[in-house]
Amino acid sequence: MSQNTETDPVQALPTATEDPPKKRSLQLVWIIPIVAALIGGWLAVKAVLDRGPEITITFRTAEGIEAGKTKLKYKDVDIGLIKHVVLAPDRQSVIATAELAKDTDSMLVKDTRFWVVRPRVGVGGVSGLDTLLSGAYIGMDIGKSKDSQRHYTGLESPPIVTAGLPGRQFVLNTAQIGSLDVGSPIYYRRILVGQVTGYQLNPNGKGVTMNIFVNAPYDKYVTLNTRFWQASGLDVSLDANGFRVRTESLASIVAGGIAFQEPNDSSDTARAPENAAFRLFSDQVLAMKTPEADAETFVMFFQESLRGLSVGAPVDFRGIVVGEVKSINLEYDPKAKNLLFPVEVSIYPNRLKARYRKGASAPVDARDDKHHKVMDALIDHGFRAQLRTGNLLTGQLYVALDFFPTASKAKMDWSESPVAIPTTPGSFGDMQNTAASILKKVDNIPFDGISQDLRKALQNLDSTIDRANRLVDRLDGDVATEAAKTLTQAKATLATAQQVMVEGSPLQQNMSSTLQEVRRAAESLRNLTDYLERHPESLLRGKPEEKP
Amino acid sequence: MTTARRMRLAGCHECGQLSRLPQQHGHCPRCGAALHFRKPASLARTWAYLIAAMILYIPANTLPMMITGSIVGTQSDTILSGVVYLWTSGDWPIAALVFFASIMVPLLKMIAILLLLITCQRRSRWQPQQRIKLYRLVEFVGRWSMLDIYVVTILAALVQVQSLASIAAGPAAVAFAVVVVLTMLSAMSFDPRLIWDPLDDGQEQTGEPHESEH
């Protein structure tokens, strides 16, 4: 180590430069653990502060839900994570525990809803495609309630209407749901304005109650008088009115749908309140019909066959549909020992009223005396019901009301209920009767005698022809020779005539010289007329002297 | 056995010049570097670094180390969850490797330094040979304990396919790197001569000759 050669090598070593003794500050290095502690503490505090509320959601199945991976999203913002998924104690469902971000307590209220967003393909469209790759997540809709809640039951399908969507909800009552389903479209004048949000069978099992949502601003068209009907699928009908195909839109053919509108004569435009209940009619025609309450029931007894008359067939007054057939029955009349076919019809006097009481302002009570008098008067004038063929192709019948002045006298019995309207045999029955009588007459024609006479006549004709033949034979013998002679003479005469007419013959020459003379005469006549035209005075004064 | 400190001799750390040092502190007469018999405040510094490392070891293991983003969503993994994932997916050797390199090694390092510190502070004479071996091991292992950070930084640099896939280092990566650096600093600031000082006090002989320089 040392290069020195002295006895004490230590003394030969150089002495270090002295340093003024200074107090080393040891505090500086302690900053590091303090900073580390601060950072660690801050992280811990932050972790505690960031810890949001924990909720449990019950689902029917954990399909697509993965503990530690499945997120909770509201409007596509991550607000939580599923921490673990366990089976419910009854093994009927799964319970997912989710940890939410902080400050989400206000979102966790009673009517907050959760559902699993998975890819869905329906007639109405495709949704959740992004989850094909990213995996399902839990969707969330924040409710409006103030009551806090931590345990939820997840929806099986995404809700149609999320909170905050402007519009109103209504309730529809119907006998059967048809092809409708949650999410079925609702149309107003063929514009898509809403969706079916849910349905449930009535507790007694009779009928279905549906909830629908109509988006703003279309919800204002739902008035108290609005009629709803099923626009589901394709409505093909064949009746006395002919063949009809009705549909709302292509999508509704497949998916079903509901349409609404208010009747044309509606004057009540008050907006329906939220959750107002309406009846859902099975088709537009039914929906638009005047409500049953206004209808008056009559009965008609027809003598002819009712084949082709169906319930719902129109009752027509000179082309105006005023009612419809309600029922067709069979009745035994013990007094007359006869079978009767009462046809019950509903007639809407309101449709008639404007027509037979022109200018009448007060609504007519169908049961008052005035009305009875009017009807009696009409019957007196031959007002009758008649069955007519509406459609020759299908043989459908309808009930026609019309005046038949020749009809036998009848009277209405107002004490009966329903009142019977007198009938007259229908056009179809008439036709049948006429045809029968024609056939009877045809039947009476003595075809045997006619054929004998015919044979006799034919024999006579035969002999006549024979005689004619003989006559012709005689003509052939006698007349033909005479005729030949005559023809020879005629030929000679014609030859002579030809000689006379030939060119250069004396007759011809005379003819041509005569024609020349005539031409000259015509020329001088022309000269004269020309002159006279130029000098008309010469007629009076004579021809003036020629000037030399 | 006499020691350099008893003879008031100190070797320069930088140029190796041996010189007499009458006080506790001085400067090398040849190169001017600071001279001292023992690293100043070695135990205090080691303690400070070690405590800081221990504190940060907690977030390093609880916070996400690596954030993997892809079209199937983002996923953040802590060191332990990565190990668990590797283990459950059957990559046992890699799981074991990551577990030892990332969890056990820093932990054992800190325990080893803690042991050295406590024994030195108490001027224990217990097993100095074993303790110096332990110190050498800690020094040696230190340079390999950044394995995780290498992996994460390399992956983060390589896998950046924008929306398809991306890997980013999580907050634990920073904490972990700091832990590793702090344990290295801690090991560096520890003066191994402190292990022998208690033996010297009692004038006892050991087979190992003492070097004044380390």
Side-chain angles (χ1 to χ4, degrees), chain A residues 168 170 172 185-195 212-231 248 257-263 272 278-281 283-284 287-288:
Chain A
R168 272 182 302 164
F170 300 103
L172 296 181
I186 292 166
Y187 296 95
Y188 176 67
R189 298 185 187 273
R190 304 215 173 170
I191 300 168
L192 182 65
V193 297
Q195 274 178 304
I212 62 163
F213 188 83
V214 179
N215 298 332
Y218 305 106
D219 61 329
K220 70 177 177 219
Y221 301 115
V222 180
T223 66
L224 289 168
N225 211 4
T226 294
R227 310 280 171 76
F228 288 83
W229 68 88
Q230 288 204 1
E248 201 69 19
I258 292 175
F260 71 86
Q261 203 171 318
E262 52 187 62
F278 294 91
R279 196 181 142 192
L280 181 65
F281 292 91
D283 61 45
Q284 186 176 7
M288 286 301 166

Side-chain angles (χ1 to χ4, degrees), chain A residues 298-303 306 327-344 416-420:
Chain A
F298 291 97
V299 70
M300 298 167 178
F301 296 94
F302 292 104
Q303 302 302 317
L306 299 178
S327 66
I328 300 165
N329 301 316
L330 181 66
E331 225 175 68
Y332 179 65
D333 184 4
K335 265 188 266 170
K337 293 198 169 40
N338 193 9
L339 281 174
L340 294 175
F341 301 92
V343 174
E344 270 189 10
E416 274 178 30
S417 180
V419 182

Side-chain angles (χ1 to χ4, degrees), chain A residues 13-14 16-18 26 32 133, chain B residues 9 19-20 23 27 41 49 72:
Chain A
L13 287 171
T17 321
E18 275 188 34
L26 302 178
I32 292 166
L133 290 172
Chain B
L9 289 174
S19 50
R20 283 180 290 144
Q23 288 98 9
H27 287 274
Y49 288 132
V72 300

Side-chain angles (χ1 to χ4, degrees), chain A residues 1 8 10-19 21-22 24 26 29-30 32-34 36-41 43 69 71 78 130 133-135, chain B residues 7 9 17-23 25-29 35 40-41 44-45 47-49 51-52 55-56 59 63 71-75 182 213:
Chain A
M1 270 189 171
D8 189 0
V10 174
Q11 293 304 316
L13 287 171
T15 309
T17 321
E18 275 188 34
D19 223 13
K22 63 170 184 182
R24 271 230 170 231
L26 302 178
V29 80
W30 285 103
I32 292 166
I34 289 168
L38 281 176
I39 293 171
L43 285 173
K69 290 216 174 130
K71 294 189 168 82
D78 286 3
D130 52 330
L133 290 172
S134 65
Chain B
M7 294 185 73
L9 289 174
Q17 171 69 52
L18 186 69
S19 50
R20 283 180 290 144
L21 185 62
Q23 288 98 9
H25 304 284
H27 287 274
C28 177
L35 279 184
R45 285 176 187 225
W47 268 121
Y49 288 132
I51 289 168
I55 290 169
L56 288 176
L63 292 180
I71 41 172
V72 300
T74 60
Q75 192 180 348
L182 284 173
E213 296 160 54

Side-chain angles (χ1 to χ4, degrees), chain A residues 99-404:
Chain A
E99 195 186 293
L100 271 68
K102 62 169 183 171
D103 301 332
T104 51
D105 295 76
S106 58
M107 303 178 187
L108 300 170
V109 291
K110 213 170 170 192
D111 50 351
T112 295
R113 295 174 292 179
F114 297 90
W115 64 94
V116 181
V117 181
R118 306 182 178 107
R120 280 169 213 276
V121 181
V123 179
V126 179
S127 70
L129 264 193
D130 52 330
T131 59
L132 267 182
L133 290 172
S134 65
Y137 62 89
I138 309 238
M140 180 183 183
D141 181 42
I142 295 169
K144 288 172 183 159
S145 165
K146 294 269 178 270
D147 302 334
S148 189
Q149 191 172 325
R150 289 291 180 272
H151 303 284
Y152 295 93
T153 301
L155 306 178
E156 286 312 308
S157 56
I160 303 293
V161 180
T162 51
L165 192 68
R168 272 182 302 164
Q169 231 165 351
F170 300 103
V171 176
L172 296 181
N173 298 307
T174 177
Q176 52 189 12
I177 195 158
S179 53
L180 296 172
D181 199 356
V182 171
S184 288
I186 292 166
Y187 296 95
Y188 176 67
R189 298 185 187 273
R190 304 215 173 170
I191 300 168
L192 182 65
V193 297
Q195 274 178 304
V196 174
T197 57
Y199 59 84
Q200 56 274 334
L201 202 63
N202 291 350
N204 59 7
K206 290 176 182 170
V208 180
T209 306
M210 300 177 79
N211 300 314
I212 62 163
F213 188 83
V214 179
N215 298 332
Y218 305 106
D219 61 329
K220 70 177 177 219
Y221 301 115
V222 180
T223 66
L224 289 168
N225 211 4
T226 294
R227 310 280 171 76
F228 288 83
W229 68 88
Q230 288 204 1
S232 300
L234 206 59
D235 178 15
V236 181
S237 58
L238 186 64
D239 55 16
N241 292 325
F243 183 75
R244 285 183 302 180
V245 181
R246 217 183 268 278
T247 180
E248 201 69 19
S249 82
L250 199 62
S252 71
I253 291 177
V254 186
I258 292 175
F260 71 86
Q261 203 171 318
E262 52 187 62
N264 289 331
D265 52 352
S266 166
S267 54
D268 190 1
T269 55
R271 285 169 65 170
E274 177 105 35
N275 285 324
F278 294 91
R279 196 181 142 192
L280 181 65
F281 292 91
S282 62
D283 61 45
Q284 186 176 7
V285 178
L286 266 183
M288 286 301 166
K289 265 180 191 166
T290 316
E292 305 260 320
D294 296 351
E296 197 181 342
T297 306
F298 291 97
V299 70
M300 298 167 178
F301 296 94
F302 292 104
Q303 302 302 317
E304 60 259 55
S305 162
L306 299 178
R307 185 189 175 83
L309 186 70
S310 53
V311 174
V315 177
D316 167 309
F317 178 57
R318 293 198 169 168
I320 300 158
V321 177
V322 294
E324 65 177 17
V325 173
K326 293 298 285 181
S327 66
I328 300 165
N329 301 316
L330 181 66
E331 225 175 68
Y332 179 65
D333 184 4
K335 265 188 266 170
K337 293 198 169 40
N338 193 9
L339 281 174
L340 294 175
F341 301 92
V343 174
E344 270 189 10
V345 299
S346 286
I347 289 179
Y348 308 111
N350 283 345
R351 299 193 190 178
L352 267 177
K353 122 192 134 177
R355 276 122 195 166
Y356 77 78
R357 289 180 64 113
K358 210 173 182 179
S361 55
V364 182
D365 182 358
R367 274 154 286 277
D368 72 356
D369 284 344
K370 216 171 183 177
H371 174 71
H372 293 174
K373 272 181 198 146
V374 171
M375 280 302 280
D376 284 339
L378 287 173
I379 299 291
D380 277 349
H381 281 88
F383 186 73
R384 297 285 185 280
Q386 189 186 44
L387 284 181
R388 285 186 190 163
T389 310
N391 189 325
L392 273 178
L393 208 67
T394 60
Q396 295 283 337
L397 293 180
Y398 68 96
V399 178
L401 297 174
D402 210 338
F403 291 100
F404 299 92

Side-chain angles (χ1 to χ4, degrees), chain B residues 11-90:
Chain B
C12 176
H13 287 291
E14 285 164 31
C15 66
Q17 171 69 52
L18 186 69
S19 50
R20 283 180 290 144
L21 185 62
Q23 288 98 9
Q24 286 295 313
H25 304 284
H27 287 274
C28 177
R30 188 158 66 177
C31 67
L35 279 184
H36 34 69
F37 294 113
R38 298 288 178 265
K39 286 183 185 173
S42 168
L43 285 178
R45 285 176 187 225
T46 311
W47 268 121
Y49 288 132
L50 183 67
I51 289 168
M54 282 172 143
I55 290 169
L56 288 176
Y57 185 71
I58 296 161
N61 277 290
T62 52
L63 292 180
M65 180 76 173
M66 189 165 79
I67 297 163
T68 322
S70 70
I71 41 172
V72 300
T74 60
Q75 192 180 348
S76 52
D77 280 306
T78 63
I79 297 170
L80 206 59
S81 76
V83 170
V84 168
Y85 173 76
L86 286 170
W87 187 266
T88 52
S89 58

